[in-house]
Amino acid sequence: MKKLLLLSLLVLQYSLHAQDISYFLPDSVSYDPAIPKPKDIIYHEVGEWHVTHDRLVNYMKAVAAAAPGRVKLETMGLTYENRPQLLLIITSPKNHQRLEEIRLQHLKLADPSQSASVNVDDMPVVVWIGHSIHGNEPSGANASLVSAYYLAAARGKQIDELLENVVILFDPSFNPDGLQRFSTWANQHKSKNLVSDPNSREFNEVWPGGRFNHYWFDLNRDWLPAVHVESQNRLKWFHQWQPNILTDHHEQGSNATFFFQPGVPSRVNPLTPARNQELTAKLGKFHARFLDRIGSLYFTKEAYDDFYYGKGSTYPDINGAIGILFEQASSRGHLQQTNNGLLSFPFTIRNQFVTALSTLEGAKVLRKEFLNWQREFYKTAVAEAAADPLRGYVIGKKDDDKTLDEFVTMLGRHRIKIYSFKNGLTLSGNTYDPQSSWIVPLNQPQYKLIKTIFSKTAEYKDSLFYDITSWTMPLAFGINADELGASQLGQAGLGNELVTAIPKITVMGNSPAYAYLIQWEELLAPGALYEILEKGLYAKVATGNFATVIEGRTKDFRRGTIMIPVQMQSVDAVQLKNMMQNIANKYAVSIDAVQSGAAVSGVDLGSSRFVNITRPSLAMITGPGVNATDAGEVWHLLDQRMNIPAVHLEPNIFNRVDLNKYNTLIMVGGTYNEINKDKLKTWVQNGGTLILTEEAVSWAAQNGISEVKFKKVKAAVDSTQKLSYTDREQIDGAQQVQGAIFGADVDLAHPLAYGYEQKTVSLFKANRVVMEKSKNPYATPYYYGNKPLQSGWVSKENGDAIKNSAAVIVNTVGTGRVINIADNPNFRAFWLGGSKLFMNAIFFGRIIDAASGRTTE
């Protein structure tokens, strides 16, 4: 008996430690011995170790080389860390022979002008199988090893029929950099004798963890803004094929089971047609049947939603496809004790593999329904556009071509058509010049996507959200956008479609220069200024408006204009001009050469109202307790957009480093319990500029570093109300601020508002940090008025508190400044409308005299 028990334990340990490929595979087909098994290439069984991205790539290359009749390997692009983003196109040899013909025919389904002529009777359905957009949810990417082997090696009628009817776009790793980071962590902490205690180091990554990409971004929020190279590379291929189904294989908490969509019915975006959810439910029956076969527990229609179109499982829904979210309980390492018993890594992989197969089986069986739905989606979209009294949108951004170009480029990534127009328009106080504005007509196949990008939302079916509640892109980018009716569109006179962005050509003139001027309104002006200062050049900022003569014409310049005098520099006039021209081209900014220090009106260039600018020496506190995505947004803004280096200080380094080498410190949302608070306060008192956002504002106030008071949010319920226990989730959840857009009134004369022309700046709020206005009348340059909500959902209690609160407060602490920003001006790196506020804090925080409202050197 003891021998039998010992044998059983050994078998159990082996099965949890490593599984032969047969553990995962169906036994209803035979397999081609010429196709290498994963172990042949990656040197371990699937699930025995976490596959590293380099070995994953090696296996996909080996499969493609061994099965050229079924598998074609493409490289979509490279990540920030130069890892390849692979796409395997898997289908029958017959389909491969006419692959381009199939692709072009398939694209016609998304074009109502051609779709009626397309016969879908023999057309393959296109399915994108995508894995592990969060690097520390690795069962998906590891399951891709099994799926790739199965699709390449399986033989027989079953697989032949599948591949004849389906073209599979197989993406083994949505997030190569994150996967590599996490696999290294999990593998380096694996024991020979597997440890399953959740408290063990193996299951608790160090900050920031493997979830994110190189810049600590959640790529599963980037499908719509497409800020990152990984998303941009993927979207090119998505729209080259317009898949009918896209799967998004994730992981959830270890104590859960397995989730597949549909999600919560009341949390579906209203722009998503009902037919989409019907087809999602039909496909769900295949997932249920396949999971039943292996006895895996699962749930559906709970917890997860289909609301924000920037997620991988929701973006397809607004593009005539069906997005499917899979959420597998995570083992996080190799074997973990959970509420449902021991959860092994191979088990999690098997569920992901099985649901990939269920998706493909459902796609094959329901092939014509999915193809016809894509045709119907776009046909209906064009019909809805024709019936919509709104005919389009006009967009513009005065004195900031780069931000407008970023917005137009974003639209183009989603195959949205943009047009020039002939006659100027003035709407809602905004003037649109045909030379620097564009029109986005609604009468085009991407009608629904345009609506979700431009619309402001005020009504919701539910008060609980998995992610943000609004993402109105013109507000986020800080550009002007107005609706066009039929008469206004006719008045504008639609011109030609924009095919490629028009490069900005900057000409400074040939006359000898007295000084050079850079308008601060331009997106990348901070990057240009930093390079100027880094080169040792002398620069000043205008704290008053003025007008001067440029090339024989009077031109107005606003506060925030940067002046680089020709004299007083360490280089001669010719060298300086060449440097200015190179910087203008590099940062797409206009640099004007002025021939005289005398202003036509306003302050002269030699006035004390031009204040010296010090080169910022930046450090950002990172590490445990800090919101990694918030920190990543700052890192990306500085590094990718502005070419400004910033030191990342972990708390233990902060506590021992000499802070005098930094004149500016950044603390984003999070808690900072491990840092030396007295050291931080002393640094500020000695002249440092401390920039705080979100929860860092609360932390600093609580620890006596700043002087900010907070408004109290009224409770949603009181003790006299009789409520059911089941009401708790709904009531408590509704008090969370998941993310809405608020308009802040701005003091345009304040240094923190330099570069803004409009008196209202849209900020994104996803917290309950609500500051009272300062008693100092000059210390609250951004504040919320009586009706600040522009778009999104917020509870009445939170909304009432936000009214008449401060968005930004400046505190004087000794000779230093604390700049408190209650919200996130850099949200997900597409909130370009807030980046000027943040860059102003970096460059001009030191010149603010908060006590008097004046500027100081």
Side-chain angles (χ1 to χ4, degrees), residues 220-221 248 250 259-270 272 276-277 280 299-317 323-327 460 462-471 738 828:
N220 196 41
R221 305 298 186 268
D248 192 11
H250 285 254
F259 169 85
F260 58 83
Q261 287 178 313
V264 180
S266 61
R267 301 178 202 168
V268 176
N269 194 295
T272 300
N276 171 283
Q277 293 296 290
T280 301
F299 65 100
T300 186
K301 297 181 182 178
E302 293 180 38
Y304 300 96
D305 64 27
D306 269 324
F307 192 78
Y308 172 49
Y309 287 123
K311 296 189 298 182
S313 59
T314 314
Y315 182 77
D317 297 343
I324 300 296
L325 172 66
F326 294 124
E327 292 276 358
Y460 297 83
D462 204 328
S463 58
L464 300 185
F465 301 88
Y466 187 77
D467 199 65
I468 61 178
T469 69
S470 181
W471 49 89
Q738 290 294 103
R828 291 182 181 170

Side-chain angles (χ1 to χ4, degrees), residues 7-28:
L7 179 60
S8 298
L9 290 173
L10 289 173
V11 170
L12 175 62
Q13 183 179 1
Y14 174 79
S15 66
L16 294 173
H17 186 277
Q19 292 288 356
D20 180 83
I21 191 74
S22 61
Y23 167 73
F24 305 98
L25 295 171
D27 57 9
S28 56

Side-chain angles (χ1 to χ4, degrees), residues 188-242:
Q188 73 182 12
H189 293 98
K190 179 189 175 186
S191 300
K192 181 183 71 172
N193 300 292
L194 296 184
V195 176
S196 62
D197 186 337
N199 297 308
S200 185
R201 184 173 169 84
E202 179 181 357
F203 310 109
N204 296 280
E205 300 170 82
V206 294
W207 193 94
R211 178 182 178 89
F212 311 113
N213 78 340
H214 176 79
Y215 283 99
W216 309 333
F217 270 74
D218 187 335
L219 290 176
N220 196 41
R221 305 298 186 268
D222 196 45
W223 285 76
L224 192 59
V227 170
H228 296 282
V229 292
E230 296 94 338
S231 305
Q232 294 165 13
N233 294 336
R234 190 185 317 113
L235 280 174
K236 289 178 185 177
W237 283 86
F238 181 95
H239 287 288
Q240 283 177 15
W241 275 96
Q242 288 287 134

Side-chain angles (χ1 to χ4, degrees), residues 781-797:
Y782 292 70
Y783 58 92
Y784 296 122
N786 287 320
K787 296 181 179 179
L789 182 63
Q790 294 179 309
S791 184
W793 193 91
V794 67
S795 72
K796 182 182 184 304
E797 294 78 13

Side-chain angles (χ1 to χ4, degrees), residues 337-381:
Q337 182 65 50
T338 74
N339 291 345
N340 296 309
L342 286 172
L343 179 62
S344 73
F345 189 37
F347 177 83
T348 68
I349 294 169
R350 184 173 64 161
N351 280 345
Q352 300 279 25
F353 168 66
V354 165
T355 47
L357 294 191
S358 66
T359 300
L360 295 175
E361 179 66 16
K364 182 194 73 174
V365 173
L366 303 172
R367 176 182 60 85
K368 291 177 68 173
E369 289 194 57
F370 286 118
L371 292 169
N372 283 323
W373 165 239
Q374 190 166 63
R375 172 163 46 198
E376 183 62 26
F377 175 89
Y378 285 104
K379 180 182 175 181
T380 302

Side-chain angles (χ1 to χ4, degrees), residues 532-554:
I532 287 167
L533 298 173
E534 180 69 11
K535 290 180 181 294
L537 300 177
Y538 182 61
K540 290 173 173 274
V541 60
T543 64
N545 297 330
F546 65 99
T548 189
V549 176
I550 303 294
E551 294 292 314
R553 299 177 62 183
T554 300

